[in-house]
């Protein structure tokens, strides 16, 4: 009862506020409140996709990956989920939303930092979901969120819309600093690609030289 009295306004206290007050007053009156935000009453799903540059100069766009759903699946039935699985993406998205307006424009000095942070998180996740072939590279990424209000209990008189709300961000260009942990691996891939190309050029040159020798031999036999 004391907890409900000092906690922020919530569905239970709204429904049973009079009962709580009757139990608290006057013997157990409290003159303080818990310093805590209201419990999250929305389901927020962060999703991402990427444009990948291929060795031939063309490109391809991946499908949307639901990164929040992947975190949720990793947490379910896990007695000791990691801090990363529980908070990295969620806190990163909260950081972005708190530093941008409804048009996705930065509202303070930390706006660019939040964009970089979210972009790094997304790229690290996409690098696992969409392994790149040799010579491929992430060119751009796009992020969107799908927010759905949690339906109130049947006995509540709250009226809220449960229609999903999409927030789609513009395409972000990828910089070398966005994948610091994958830089070495990507460098090895680039070296391998260059080696393959060099071997192909040597092979083509060898075929051309062999063709020239055959032509010379044929010409000599005619003489």
């Amino acid at each position: 009862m004391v907890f409900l009295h000092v906690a922020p306004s919530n569905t239970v206290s709204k429904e049973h506020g009079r009962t709580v007050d009757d139990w608290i007053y006057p013997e157990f009156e409290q003159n303080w409140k818990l310093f805590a935000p209201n419990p999250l009453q929305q389901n927020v799903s962060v999703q991402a996709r990427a444009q990948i540059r291929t060795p031939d100069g063309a490109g391809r766009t991946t499908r949307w990956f639901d990164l929040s759903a992947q975190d949720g699946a990793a947490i379910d039935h896990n007695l000791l989920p990691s801090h990363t699985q529980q908070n990295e993406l969620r806190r990163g998205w909260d950081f972005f939303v708190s530093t941008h307006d409804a048009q996705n424009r930065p509202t303070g000095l930390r706006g660019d930092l939040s964009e970089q942070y979210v972009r790094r998180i997304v790229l690290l996740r996409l690098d696992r979901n969409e392994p790149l072939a040799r010579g491929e590279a992430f060119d751009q990424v796009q992020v969107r969120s799908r927010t759905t209000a949690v339906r109130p209990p049947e006995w509540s008189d709250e009226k809220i819309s449960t229609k999903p709300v999409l927030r789609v961000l513009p395409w972000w260009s990828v910089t070398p600093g966005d994948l610091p942990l994958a830089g070495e691996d990507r460098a090895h891939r680039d070296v391998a690609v260059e080696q393959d190309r060099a071997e192909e050029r040597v092979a083509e040159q060898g075929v051309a030289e062999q063709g020239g020798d055959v032509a010379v031999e044929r010409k000599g036999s005619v003489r």
Side-chain angles (χ1 to χ4, degrees):
M1 287 294 190
V2 174
F3 172 81
L4 292 175
H5 177 67
V6 299
S9 177
N10 56 77
T11 303
V12 176
S13 63
K14 290 178 181 179
E15 180 68 15
H16 304 287
R18 181 178 295 276
T19 302
V20 173
D21 289 344
D22 290 343
W23 195 89
I24 290 292
Y25 294 108
E27 289 83 5
F28 304 107
E29 181 180 1
Q30 307 290 317
N31 60 359
W32 60 281
K33 294 291 184 180
L34 286 178
F35 184 76
N38 290 328
L40 186 63
Q41 299 182 20
Q42 295 176 326
N43 287 322
V44 181
S45 176
V46 179
Q47 305 166 354
R49 64 176 177 174
Q51 289 182 350
I52 296 176
R53 185 173 61 255
T54 54
D56 58 3
R60 61 185 178 88
T61 302
T62 69
R63 64 180 178 86
W64 286 102
F65 292 96
D66 193 333
L67 307 183
S68 297
Q70 293 175 2
D71 282 352
I75 293 172
D76 285 347
H77 310 297
N78 187 346
L79 296 179
L80 298 172
S82 70
H83 175 76
T84 299
Q85 292 168 336
Q86 297 180 82
N87 297 314
E88 182 185 56
L89 179 64
R90 179 180 62 83
R91 294 297 298 273
W93 183 249
D94 288 345
F95 183 25
F96 176 87
V97 172
S98 65
T99 56
H100 288 73
D101 60 19
Q103 285 71 44
N104 302 315
R105 296 174 300 197
T107 56
L109 298 177
R110 299 200 301 167
D112 291 339
L113 179 62
S114 67
E115 289 184 13
Q116 184 182 24
Y117 183 55
V118 171
R119 192 163 60 244
R120 283 191 176 191
I121 294 174
V122 166
L123 280 167
L124 288 172
R125 303 292 184 89
L126 289 175
D127 198 42
R128 295 197 296 262
N129 284 284
E130 189 78 12
L132 299 179
R134 287 184 174 180
E136 291 187 335
F138 288 113
D139 191 30
Q140 292 183 310
V141 294
Q142 188 177 31
V143 183
R144 71 181 182 186
S145 68
R146 184 178 186 272
T147 303
T148 307
V150 176
R151 190 183 301 276
E154 296 180 357
W155 47 262
S156 174
D157 59 357
E158 292 182 80
K159 303 297 182 182
I160 61 174
S161 173
T162 57
K163 182 179 179 180
V165 177
L166 286 178
R167 178 171 184 169
V168 183
L169 306 189
W171 285 97
W172 285 335
S173 297
V174 177
T175 65
D178 290 330
L179 274 174
L181 299 180
E184 183 177 351
D185 178 60
R186 208 164 300 285
H188 289 317
R189 294 181 189 176
D190 293 340
V191 169
V193 170
E194 290 301 323
Q195 290 177 343
D196 290 344
R197 291 176 178 173
E199 292 175 358
E200 290 177 358
R201 288 194 293 269
V202 171
E204 291 174 355
Q205 183 177 0
V207 171
E209 291 177 352
Q210 291 177 1
D213 293 341
V214 171
V216 171
E217 292 177 358
R218 287 178 178 176
K219 186 174 181 181
S221 62
V222 172
R223 288 179 179 177

